[in-house]
Amino acid sequence: MSDGTATTSDLDVRLEKHRVELTGYCYRMLGSSFEAEDAVQDTMVRAWRSYDKFEGRSSMRSWLYRIATNVCLDMLNAGNRRARPMDLSAPSPLARAALTPRPDTTWLEPVPDARVLPTPADPAEAAVAKESVRLAFMAALQQLPPKQRAVLILREVLAWRASEVAELLGTTVASVNSALQRARATLAENDGAGADAATSDPLDEEQQKLLERYVAAFEGYDMTALTALLHEDAIMTMPPFDLWLRGTDDITGFMTTLGAGCAGSRLVPVEVNGLPGFAHYKPDEEAGGYVPWAVQALEISKGRITGFHCFLDTARWFPLFGLPLRLDGSEAADELAASGVHGGRGAGAGGGLEAEADQVE
């Protein structure tokens, strides 16, 4: 092996050490899992090509963050802000529910924890990192202008000093402090910014039992049991549809009408956006077994489920989470047994949202 090859290999290893934390940074900036990965790949390519100009006046980590920030700011010049359904419209009463999809670029996207959250030695740092990718906080970030967003993430989430952020952005400490103050004020106006931050890390015994009861209620399609677990003002969303529902009556009413095809489903635990979540497989009437239907992210507060978010673009999300695209009955049972989360077993039923969408006025 030549010296040149060894140097190239060493640089690749050094760059890769920063991939997860850079992906987390770009995800917070962009609100998109796939755009974040594209941004990090662009960052790595730019770093590799310009490494001979890197003079070591700052750490490689700071240098990479500077490149990543510029990449993200360029991508945000288009002005698109990712959002949740409740950021765009009022809730729909069940009687007027309409399943209207919007383009993928509309929505705040889910992300597997492992792709964006390094494993720090300090449990307190791990908890802060998880809170900083939760859906409500991510939605609040999207309300900030791009440079304020970068300042807030670098200062509040990553704990950079104001002088370090000023150097990275090519501005003054006073400008950084002013941007941070404005960003904090905007977040303070966003009532939902901390709505899902009550989940402990790791889940405490009460929260774990709540999830076990949720799995039993959902798989058994027991709406009485599910109602007992939901906060009275719980929210259900289903991107890419812009419909969202509030309250137990509308949520369970939807699940027993338009969503009736989800009866008999199986849930497999996943870690999504620092929240408890599940891969939702629904029965395949024609071939048997179970097929992907949604990645669910649950928001929990004070012993109740307050948010129930179903990301339905399974062709994108299941591969991203490393999930199989089919389960047979034994595989579903094995997945649940391995996870330690056990639920009830309901009778299967066919149909689904897509099949029913054209029946909604």
Side-chain angles (χ1 to χ4, degrees), residues 4 7 46 52 70-71 101 131 161 180 220 250 256 271 276 301 315 330 350:
T7 301
R46 293 189 191 190
D52 58 339
N70 289 332
V71 170
E131 288 180 11
R161 295 190 297 269
L180 180 59
D250 279 355
T256 53
E271 295 182 330
S301 182
S330 61

Side-chain angles (χ1 to χ4, degrees), residues 15-32:
L15 292 175
E16 283 299 317
K17 288 180 179 178
H18 299 279
R19 182 176 291 275
V20 173
E21 65 170 313
L22 287 172
T23 304
Y25 175 62
C26 293
Y27 174 68
R28 295 178 185 100
M29 285 290 292
L30 302 170
S32 164

Side-chain angles (χ1 to χ4, degrees), residues 277-322:
F278 295 93
H280 172 186
Y281 291 85
K282 59 179 280 188
D284 184 343
E285 282 193 323
E286 296 182 0
Y290 303 89
V291 292
W293 185 243
V295 169
Q296 300 180 1
L298 303 185
E299 296 171 344
I300 299 173
S301 182
K302 298 179 180 178
R304 290 288 183 271
I305 295 169
T306 58
F308 172 44
H309 306 289
C310 306
F311 296 91
L312 302 183
D313 191 354
T314 54
R316 302 172 76 212
W317 306 133
F318 275 56
L320 181 70
F321 281 79

Side-chain angles (χ1 to χ4, degrees), residues 123-141:
E125 289 183 14
V128 169
K130 280 195 170 187
E131 288 180 11
S132 71
V133 295
R134 288 176 177 166
L135 294 171
F137 184 76
M138 286 292 302
L141 282 179

Side-chain angles (χ1 to χ4, degrees), residues 232-256:
E232 61 181 7
D233 290 325
I235 287 171
M236 180 180 182
T237 68
M238 295 163 284
F241 298 122
D242 58 11
L243 170 72
W244 67 282
L245 303 166
R246 170 178 278 156
T248 54
D249 288 346
D250 279 355
I251 291 173
T252 57
F254 181 90
M255 291 177 67
T256 53

Side-chain angles (χ1 to χ4, degrees), residues 188-256:
E189 294 172 1
N190 189 312
D191 293 336
D196 58 359
T199 310
S200 63
D201 180 35
L203 296 177
D204 61 30
E205 183 178 358
E206 180 184 357
Q207 291 165 343
Q208 183 63 30
K209 287 181 178 178
L210 175 65
L211 293 181
E212 291 172 358
R213 292 168 62 198
Y214 169 75
V215 172
F218 192 95
E219 292 192 341
Y221 234 58
D222 183 340
M223 295 301 113
T224 300
L226 186 61
T227 297
L229 305 178
L230 295 174
H231 188 277
E232 61 181 7
D233 290 325
I235 287 171
M236 180 180 182
T237 68
M238 295 163 284
F241 298 122
D242 58 11
L243 170 72
W244 67 282
L245 303 166
R246 170 178 278 156
T248 54
D249 288 346
D250 279 355
I251 291 173
T252 57
F254 181 90
M255 291 177 67
T256 53

